[in-house]
Amino acid sequence: MTKKSRTLSIKGRGLTNFESIMWLFTRLSALAMYALILFGLIGALVMGARNNMNFADVMRWAFMPNVTHVQSTDLESTDAWVTPFWKLIASALLLVATAHGVHGLVVIADDYIASEGGRKFVRLLSIIMMASMSFMGLWIIWTS
Amino acid sequence: MGLKRDVSLSTGLRYRGPAGYLTFILHRIGGLGMGIFITLHILASFVGGRFGGAINGIYENWAFQIFIFFCVMFHAINGLRITILDLFPKLLDYQTEAIWIEWAVFIPLYGISVFVILQTALGG
């Protein structure tokens, strides 16, 4: 007897409610973050990171392309690193990562908090956290 | 809110499933580690001043870099496995093999990273 696959296709699972749409969002936002981080990494190498930065500094830039992350390096000028283009990339990464992360915290909390009221409270807290982190992050990116 | 698991905190923490339990719990620790770090980092940078500077100084320490890089690298590589297997559900039958490939990718990449970070930090 051949082993029959026990899995369902994406469509077969029925993405009907908010939680299952967020399940898909978590996967797709992960893919988006790989692209953005790889983009920041390649951008740093193109802009001359090979000669003026150590490994940790390059990774710090890749994970959040904000100019404050490269100010302590041996770069002669940070002009190319502080353009609106990089601020837009940083903002995109911030918003995607915040949504992915805050939803992840809700998923973890749901594993340990089973009461209806508790879960509602976690969701309220997550919306507040999401809004405040996005706001503060954008503020830092566009004023630094 | 149709799903109701009714699992207490202590039962949840003591859960030991079959294959994939280690990657599950490390993914969770990595995600929590990053979540706490990024929240504190954004708050400290937003507040700024001496307090913010003192908090942000911790993150430049090599020991912290090794810890947070474990969280990030494991979460990213394990997340890539989860993403690929979930978006192509037929591959889920090969989950155990995928976890072995994942370790084969993670251990050398993380090992080299730790080596380079230590070399920079201690070698001057």
Side-chain angles (χ1 to χ4, degrees):
Chain A
M1 196 179 86
T2 53
K3 192 178 155 198
K4 197 170 180 293
S5 180
R6 288 169 291 127
T7 56
L8 271 177
S9 70
I10 301 276
K11 275 183 185 162
R13 290 175 211 184
L15 295 170
T16 47
N17 59 19
F18 179 72
E19 301 294 337
S20 59
I21 290 167
M22 283 310 284
W23 176 89
L24 188 61
F25 171 79
T26 304
R27 273 82 187 150
L28 296 181
S29 60
L31 289 178
M33 281 189 283
Y34 295 121
L36 287 167
I37 290 169
L38 205 60
F39 192 77
L41 185 62
I42 294 169
L45 294 172
V46 168
M47 292 189 293
R50 278 193 303 161
N51 301 321
N52 302 306
M53 277 189 214
N54 62 39
F55 172 74
D57 288 328
V58 176
M59 293 319 287
R60 195 186 296 157
W61 167 267
F63 289 129
M64 176 43 71
N66 190 24
V67 70
T68 49
H69 282 169
V70 291
Q71 266 164 1
S72 61
T73 62
D74 299 335
L75 284 174
E76 281 168 23
S77 161
T78 52
D79 288 350
W81 305 69
V82 74
T83 55
F85 172 75
W86 281 117
K87 286 183 191 292
L88 280 174
I89 299 283
S91 306
L93 187 54
L94 170 83
L95 294 176
V96 172
T98 310
H100 181 104
V102 171
H103 179 69
L105 292 177
V106 173
V107 171
I108 295 177
D110 272 3
D111 272 1
Y112 307 116
I113 299 168
S115 71
E116 190 103 355
R119 288 189 168 178
K120 282 217 173 87
F121 179 68
V122 166
R123 273 151 184 78
L124 179 70
L125 213 62
S126 79
I127 292 168
I128 295 170
M129 188 172 168
M130 171 117 175
S132 56
M133 284 299 134
S134 301
F135 171 76
M136 282 189 278
L138 287 174
W139 178 275
I140 295 162
I141 290 169
W142 289 91
T143 55
S144 62
Chain B
M1 219 77 79
L3 192 66
K4 207 167 187 312
R5 272 167 286 206
D6 274 333
V7 172
S8 71
L9 181 62
S10 60
T11 317
L13 287 175
R14 275 188 278 108
Y15 168 74
R16 280 192 174 278
Y21 172 73
L22 185 64
T23 54
F24 163 80
I25 201 72
L26 285 177
H27 195 77
R28 185 155 284 195
I29 292 168
L32 269 179
M34 274 192 287
I36 294 167
F37 158 63
I38 294 172
T39 305
L40 285 176
H41 185 43
I42 290 180
L43 280 174
S45 306
F46 188 71
V47 173
R50 265 180 63 208
F51 173 73
I55 299 281
N56 282 341
I58 300 169
Y59 310 139
E60 307 209 356
N61 187 289
W62 59 266
F64 183 81
Q65 285 177 347
I66 287 174
F67 164 73
I68 201 68
F69 209 67
F70 178 85
C71 293
V72 173
M73 284 294 275
F74 189 83
H75 201 84
I77 291 172
N78 192 49
L80 190 58
R81 171 184 66 85
I82 294 171
T83 304
I84 293 171
L85 263 58
D86 276 351
L87 293 184
F88 302 96
K90 279 185 180 153
L91 295 176
L92 279 167
D93 287 341
Y94 303 98
Q95 168 148 259
T96 318
E97 288 85 346
I99 290 173
W100 281 111
I101 297 172
E102 179 192 329
W103 284 113
V105 173
F106 173 76
I107 292 171
L109 269 183
Y110 184 64
I112 294 168
S113 308
V114 168
F115 177 75
V116 173
I117 290 173
L118 281 178
Q119 202 182 30
T120 313
L122 306 179

